[in-house]
């Protein structure tokens, strides 16, 4: 496993140490690792979303596909066992 060395503002370290003290994270390293994983996951999701949008820009849905999607959406909602309020 690689090791990263970085400088962090004192206020960030204080907040991080509070999270460790309260048991919200196991350690500073665990918190930083989790934050990096979350940041990279958000980036991955954003890139996937951008690729989907670009695909629809290049090849937009046809009117027939839009009608099909709307009809199927309505049918799926109608099948839900909604509770009456």
């Amino acid at each position: 496993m690689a090791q990263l060395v970085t400088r962090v503002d004192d206020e960030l370290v204080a907040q991080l140490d509070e999270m460790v003290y309260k048991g919200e994270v196991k350690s500073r390293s665990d918190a930083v690792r989790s934050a990096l994983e979350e940041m990279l996951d958000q980036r991955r999701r954003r890139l996937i979303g951008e690729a989907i949008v670009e695909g629809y820009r290049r090849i937009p849905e046809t009117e027939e596909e839009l009608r099909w999607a709307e009809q199927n959406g309505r049918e799926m909602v109608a099948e839900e066992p909604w509770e009456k309020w």
Side-chain angles (χ1 to χ4, degrees), residues 17-74:
D17 286 344
E18 182 180 350
M19 291 177 69
V20 174
Y21 176 77
K22 290 183 174 182
E24 296 174 36
V25 292
K26 293 178 186 176
S27 65
R28 288 177 173 178
S29 292
D30 185 52
V32 171
R33 190 172 21 261
S34 293
L36 283 171
E37 288 171 353
E38 177 67 26
M39 181 181 68
L40 293 171
D41 184 59
Q42 288 177 7
R43 177 182 182 269
R44 180 186 63 81
R45 290 170 182 266
R46 179 180 49 79
L47 292 174
I48 289 170
E50 289 171 359
I52 290 170
V53 168
E54 179 56 29
Y56 278 109
R57 282 190 182 129
R58 281 187 288 115
I59 307 171
E61 302 105 324
T62 64
E63 289 298 321
E64 179 182 350
E65 290 169 330
L66 290 171
R67 281 191 301 275
W68 175 86
E70 182 177 350
Q71 179 61 35
N72 281 307
R74 289 178 186 276

